Amino acid sequence: MIDYDRRNHPAAWWAQFDESSNRLDAGTLTDALSDVITPTIPSALLRREAEIATETVLRHLNRPGSEEAAEAASRATARLVATVERINERSTGDDAGTAEAYAQCLLLQGMWAEAAAEIEPLTGTVPLIRAFVSALRLDGFGIELTLRLLKAGQDPAVAVRSSLAVGRYSWWPEWLLTIVTERVIAGTVDAETINALQRCAFAELSPSQARMAKRLFNAEPQLVEAAAARLENLGEHPAARLLRDGDLGTVAFAARLIPV
């Protein structure tokens, strides 16, 4: 499980957010990471120069077809890099106070993963993770699922891909989203589970029927037996046998037999 207070992740770990999805927005990520990094720059003058450079780069990222904006962004970034290098050269101590500004330089050069790895010991993990996730342009359910998977210890690649795969079902009722989220986190979701949940989503179950279905998904022994017995009483012997055998495809059918 991730230590959300302080933990050092290598750049390769942070790079998974970009590598596992083609939806990551460069402008959003640059803006979000800058909001984390820039305020930590100790020197007011250096911080202001970083803010100006960031604004220039963001104008370019938001207008990718403008050659003029691209050139301005390149010049502003080069000036900031040169300033940081000059301060480091003139420093007589071990700490020139430029670590934060150096991370900002990496960020403005499009080296997002390296910038996150550089600044994480100073800012902690949480704000950086939220910056990366916000740039993936997921819906509310996808964001929540990604964050929960990361908190549970999954690598970004697994968390993002799982969220993208399950995100298409964000229209499901809350109780179904709870089930699929729990199973994704536990690593037990599969095609059978998704198909069974899909049937429940289309079955238009009443609240009482939904509660029954959720308990059947959890395979509560007494309830499974009671539901199977009900199926047998109604002449649905094959369905009763499947339910006892753990076939999730029969859950929606069994739940529908509960009076509304």
Side-chain angles (χ1 to χ4, degrees):
M1 183 174 294
I2 291 177
D3 178 354
Y4 267 33
D5 286 330
R6 287 287 187 274
R7 181 167 175 176
N8 296 334
H9 295 90
W13 190 89
W14 292 104
Q16 292 178 52
F17 285 100
D18 185 24
E19 295 167 351
S20 58
S21 171
N22 59 3
R23 302 178 63 173
L24 189 141
D25 182 76
T28 301
L29 180 57
T30 300
D31 194 17
L33 284 176
S34 178
D35 285 344
V36 178
I37 299 171
T38 306
T40 67
I41 299 175
S43 166
L45 290 176
L46 188 55
R47 184 165 62 249
R48 181 56 186 154
E49 185 172 345
E51 290 172 347
I52 294 172
T54 301
E55 291 169 1
T56 306
V57 170
L58 285 175
R59 280 196 293 272
H60 159 56
L61 293 175
N62 293 327
R63 296 169 55 196
S66 171
E67 184 175 340
E68 181 181 353
E71 292 177 353
S74 179
R75 289 195 300 270
T77 301
R79 280 196 299 270
L80 181 61
V81 171
T83 300
V84 172
E85 290 177 346
R86 185 167 60 251
I87 294 173
N88 287 335
E89 290 172 358
R90 293 177 178 177
S91 176
T92 58
D94 294 333
D95 184 6
T98 57
E100 299 85 352
Y102 175 67
Q104 189 78 5
C105 290
L106 293 173
L107 170 63
L108 298 185
Q109 294 175 86
M111 302 170 68
W112 309 309
E114 290 79 1
E118 180 74 20
I119 202 67
E120 185 182 9
L122 301 173
T123 64
T125 307
V126 175
L128 298 173
I129 282 181
R130 291 193 176 278
F132 275 89
V133 173
S134 71
L136 291 171
R137 295 177 292 180
L138 301 170
D139 60 18
F141 171 66
I143 290 173
E144 179 184 355
L145 180 56
T146 302
L147 292 174
R148 289 189 63 180
L149 286 168
L150 290 168
K151 191 172 184 179
Q154 295 286 3
D155 282 340
V158 175
V160 173
R161 287 170 185 159
S162 297
S163 297
L164 291 173
V166 178
R168 72 190 70 176
Y169 307 111
S170 60
W171 59 271
W172 282 356
E174 184 63 31
W175 69 274
L176 286 176
L177 293 179
T178 299
I179 292 176
V180 75
T181 299
E182 290 172 349
R183 297 201 174 207
V184 168
I185 291 174
T188 58
V189 70
D190 52 22
E192 179 190 8
T193 302
I194 292 295
N195 290 335
L197 294 171
Q198 187 84 308
R199 291 182 185 179
C200 287
F202 283 111
E204 298 182 353
L205 302 179
S206 70
S208 59
Q209 291 171 339
R211 286 192 294 272
M212 166 69 79
K214 186 174 183 179
R215 294 174 65 188
L216 289 175
F217 272 112
N218 290 332
E220 296 183 18
Q222 293 182 339
L223 187 63
V224 169
E225 181 55 37
R230 180 188 292 272
L231 287 170
E232 288 176 334
N233 291 336
L234 294 172
E236 300 290 348
H237 296 282
R241 184 168 55 255
L242 288 171
L243 187 63
R244 287 192 176 101
D245 290 342
D247 187 307
L248 297 179
T250 59
V251 168
F253 181 62
R256 287 277 293 176
L257 297 178
I258 302 299
V260 177

